[in-house]
Amino acid sequence: MVNHSRPLSVPEFVALKQAGRKITMLTAYDYPTARALDEAGVDSLLVGDTLGMVVQGRENTLGVRLEDIIYHAEMVSRAAQHALVVADMPFLSYQVSVPEAIANAGRILKETRCQAIKLEGGADQAATISALVGAGIPVMAHVGLRPQNVHQMGGYKVQRDAERLMNDATAAEQAGAFSIVLECIPRELARQITDRLSIPTIGIGAGADCDGQVLVTHDMLGLTSGHVPKFVKQYADLQTIIGDAARQYCQEVRDATFPAEEHGFR
């Protein structure tokens, strides 16, 4: 039974799989958005390194710094009253050495109040995952399309190597990961991985058979400029709403109809 008087814990998050209840996850990067998502009942908030693209306007996630993640995760963690908050480990914050990975992940937990970190990798990061878990740091793994490896992978492509992906997922679980994100994987393969693992799988472009789903909130709300991935469903068109509101404001200021009498003081 989930206690909604406090944030969801890692064991409670894992137990949702055994309970057969689908898990909801969305990205968050600031206090007001995180509070709105939390109050809406989202199970987990991911402070993703996608902030490099949707907040900072970069072409990929590689330029995001550890300090950026800490800055945004601190705001999100302060807003979350019910959701489990997970923060991404940015590029080269965990790949250089295991001690550096522990130090950097430890900084995130100490300085932000989030409950877990996420890192990209499976079998290749098993030793790091094991060391982080051994240090008391809950780890969510991430296999399939790995945006931090975009240059090595030759772009954002569907990943179809079933043997490698199954090996990555099982290695991450054996190393102690409490959950795994499956990104851009054919549905049937994602289902097989989900059935094989005892820990929750969180899909993004991996079909409906995963234990849960995650989307980038800016994509889901229609705030993303340019290409929108095939796996995204837009539940709102905030780009248009914001644009219309800003245009009306500009027109009223220029027409001197704003501020009106009721917006001033005597």
Side-chain angles (χ1 to χ4, degrees):
M1 189 72 177
V2 176
N3 182 352
H4 289 290
S5 66
R6 55 167 174 75
L8 190 71
S9 70
V10 168
E12 288 168 339
F13 182 94
V14 174
L16 292 176
K17 177 179 179 115
Q18 279 69 46
R21 211 264 270 159
K22 294 287 190 180
I23 300 166
T24 58
M25 189 178 205
L26 286 169
T27 62
Y29 316 102
D30 60 68
Y31 182 90
T33 305
R35 191 169 81 170
L37 298 177
D38 187 69
E39 290 177 353
V42 175
D43 295 316
S44 182
L45 298 175
L46 172 64
V47 186
D49 59 2
T50 43
L51 71 87
M53 301 170 78
V54 299
V55 176
Q56 298 175 335
R58 302 177 187 272
E59 64 179 357
N60 55 47
T61 64
L62 300 182
V64 176
R65 304 169 304 160
L66 181 66
E67 287 72 19
D68 297 329
I69 293 292
I70 290 173
Y71 173 77
H72 290 275
E74 195 276 329
M75 290 184 281
V76 171
S77 297
R78 204 170 339 126
Q81 300 299 308
H82 310 293
L84 175 76
V85 180
V86 182
D88 259 341
M89 295 285 286
F91 182 57
L92 291 187
S93 67
Y94 59 95
Q95 295 97 331
V96 176
S97 71
V98 169
E100 189 169 323
I102 295 172
N104 289 335
R107 273 195 66 193
I108 293 175
L109 264 61
K110 288 173 67 175
E111 298 180 32
T112 71
R113 295 176 60 246
C114 74
Q115 297 101 306
I117 61 92
K118 179 175 77 65
L119 58 77
E120 294 183 13
D124 59 324
Q125 294 298 332
T128 299
I129 293 170
S130 179
L132 288 168
V133 173
I137 301 170
V139 177
M140 178 178 284
H142 182 147
V143 304
L145 174 61
R146 292 156 57 176
Q148 292 178 11
N149 287 31
V150 61
H151 297 312
Q152 191 174 52
M153 290 182 161
Y156 299 99
K157 301 176 180 178
V158 178
Q159 302 301 299
R160 303 180 185 278
D161 187 336
E163 183 178 355
R164 179 178 62 81
L165 292 169
M166 185 66 77
N167 182 54
D168 277 341
T170 54
E173 178 181 35
Q174 290 167 4
F178 73 91
S179 180
I180 300 180
V181 170
L182 305 179
E183 181 167 359
C184 286
I185 295 174
R187 177 175 179 172
E188 176 58 24
L189 177 54
R191 184 192 65 76
Q192 292 173 11
I193 294 172
T194 299
D195 289 346
R196 175 80 63 88
L197 302 181
S198 62
I199 59 175
T201 59
I202 307 299
I204 178 166
D209 301 308
C210 297
D211 297 306
Q213 299 292 326
V214 62
L215 282 176
V216 173
T217 296
H218 286 64
D219 291 344
M220 186 268 288
L221 293 179
L223 279 170
T224 304
S225 299
H227 174 71
V228 176
K230 177 184 179 182
F231 54 75
V232 172
K233 178 177 179 179
Q234 291 188 314
Y235 288 82
D237 182 9
L238 295 194
Q239 188 92 6
T240 297
I241 292 172
I242 292 170
D244 288 346
R247 278 187 287 273
Q248 183 178 351
Y249 164 77
C250 291
Q251 188 63 50
E252 291 184 6
V253 170
R254 291 163 185 155
D255 293 344
T257 56
F258 175 82
E261 189 67 28
E262 66 266 27
H263 303 121
F265 304 94
R266 290 186 179 275

